[in-house]
Amino acid sequence: MRIPAHSVCTAIRDDIVSGVYERGSRLTEELLARRYGVSRVPVREALRTLESEGFVVTRRHAGACVAEPTEREAADLLEVRMLLEPLGAARAAQRRTEAHLKVLRGLVRLGQERARRGEGEDLRSLGGWFHETLAQASGSPGLIALLTQLRHKIAWMYAVEQPARPVDSWAEHGAIVHAVARGDAERARALTAQHAERAAGAHRLRRPDRPGRRAAPPPRVSSSQHGVNIAGARH
């Protein structure tokens, strides 16, 4: 495999998230450089970046290793995302462009159509694309970077079950886009908070140390958000 030097960090991160490198395993510069077809310099830089993101730790006498996050650290990530995603949606309502709205509406149409037909194989990727676009619409580079990093780390630590009623989940997406299009920041924030809280319940912690053990649900995260009626905003 030959990877452009500037993409080495992304390649290693993707391999960590997908489980190519198990938690706690060593990451030697020589082996990584050979795998991705680059010199050790971009590998060294990538490992430093991944350490700052929490995917890699440096251990005495062992060097760089894949991190081994605790259950509390994993639960914290879900809680942080539940705080930041509503903020991103509120910002999107104030800063989105017509290009953002076009993509968001297109994704909602696709998602709703495939959910109605029971074609669930693409819904996960469509949902990821939706939330990534919503973050981009916030117009805040710092917030976008944080949400992107959170998505990577949550995908690494959790398996996500498909919603029991995907049609309802995509109706919520549609309601969020409707609020964003109207410039209603508070409604966009409230709808996204409600959606994020429901989605958190579908996450099951991965336990790589005991592969046969069923993943446990995340600790319940309390929320002060009140229920929001989205019926009038569905489209």
Side-chain angles (χ1 to χ4, degrees), residues 179-220:
V180 167
R182 290 173 52 201
D184 191 338
E186 287 310 308
R187 184 163 176 77
R189 183 195 301 269
L191 288 169
T192 304
Q194 186 182 64
H195 178 73
E197 184 172 8
R198 273 198 284 267
H203 288 67
R204 297 292 177 265
L205 193 64
R206 300 184 193 274
R207 297 184 183 277
D209 55 326
R210 297 179 62 182
R213 181 176 177 180
R214 179 183 171 135
R220 176 155 180 82

Side-chain angles (χ1 to χ4, degrees), residues 113-214:
E113 178 182 324
R114 294 185 184 184
R116 283 194 298 269
R117 293 180 178 178
E119 300 173 358
E121 61 274 7
D122 293 332
L123 289 179
R124 191 185 305 276
S125 59
L126 285 172
W129 191 2
F130 174 87
H131 287 286
E132 182 179 344
T133 305
L134 187 63
Q136 292 285 338
S138 73
S140 173
L143 184 56
I144 294 167
L146 284 171
L147 285 169
T148 299
Q149 188 179 136
L150 279 171
R151 278 194 298 275
H152 287 313
K153 294 186 81 171
I154 289 171
W156 176 39
M157 297 182 195
Y158 287 96
V160 183
E161 298 176 352
Q162 286 284 7
R165 292 182 55 83
V167 171
D168 291 346
S169 180
W170 279 93
E172 292 173 6
H173 287 155
I176 292 168
V177 174
H178 186 68
V180 167
R182 290 173 52 201
D184 191 338
E186 287 310 308
R187 184 163 176 77
R189 183 195 301 269
L191 288 169
T192 304
Q194 186 182 64
H195 178 73
E197 184 172 8
R198 273 198 284 267
H203 288 67
R204 297 292 177 265
L205 193 64
R206 300 184 193 274
R207 297 184 183 277
D209 55 326
R210 297 179 62 182
R213 181 176 177 180
R214 179 183 171 135

Side-chain angles (χ1 to χ4, degrees), residues 20-212:
V20 172
Y21 304 120
E22 296 180 358
R23 299 182 199 183
S25 62
R26 291 187 63 195
L27 298 170
T28 66
E29 292 179 10
E30 182 180 357
L31 291 177
L32 292 173
R34 190 181 307 147
R35 171 175 171 78
Y36 302 114
V38 296
S39 72
R40 293 172 66 168
V41 174
V43 168
R44 192 175 303 128
E45 294 173 355
L47 290 176
R48 282 198 292 264
T49 298
L50 293 170
E51 184 168 17
S52 71
E53 293 178 355
F55 289 98
V56 170
V57 295
T58 300
R59 292 176 177 161
R60 190 176 182 182
H61 306 308
C65 300
V66 180
E68 299 178 88
T70 65
E71 291 187 20
R72 176 173 291 183
E73 288 170 337
D76 285 347
L77 290 177
L78 285 182
E79 188 165 8
V80 170
R81 188 175 71 174
M82 288 175 62
L83 294 172
L84 292 185
E85 281 194 337
L87 173 61
R91 293 273 178 87
Q94 298 165 332
R95 302 176 180 176
R96 88 292 184 280
T97 66
E98 287 303 313
H100 289 132
L101 286 179
K102 183 177 180 180
V103 174
L104 288 168
R105 285 167 171 157
L107 288 169
V108 167
R109 281 195 298 272
L110 274 175
Q112 290 180 339
E113 178 182 324
R114 294 185 184 184
R116 283 194 298 269
R117 293 180 178 178
E119 300 173 358
E121 61 274 7
D122 293 332
L123 289 179
R124 191 185 305 276
S125 59
L126 285 172
W129 191 2
F130 174 87
H131 287 286
E132 182 179 344
T133 305
L134 187 63
Q136 292 285 338
S138 73
S140 173
L143 184 56
I144 294 167
L146 284 171
L147 285 169
T148 299
Q149 188 179 136
L150 279 171
R151 278 194 298 275
H152 287 313
K153 294 186 81 171
I154 289 171
W156 176 39
M157 297 182 195
Y158 287 96
V160 183
E161 298 176 352
Q162 286 284 7
R165 292 182 55 83
V167 171
D168 291 346
S169 180
W170 279 93
E172 292 173 6
H173 287 155
I176 292 168
V177 174
H178 186 68
V180 167
R182 290 173 52 201
D184 191 338
E186 287 310 308
R187 184 163 176 77
R189 183 195 301 269
L191 288 169
T192 304
Q194 186 182 64
H195 178 73
E197 184 172 8
R198 273 198 284 267
H203 288 67
R204 297 292 177 265
L205 193 64
R206 300 184 193 274
R207 297 184 183 277
D209 55 326
R210 297 179 62 182

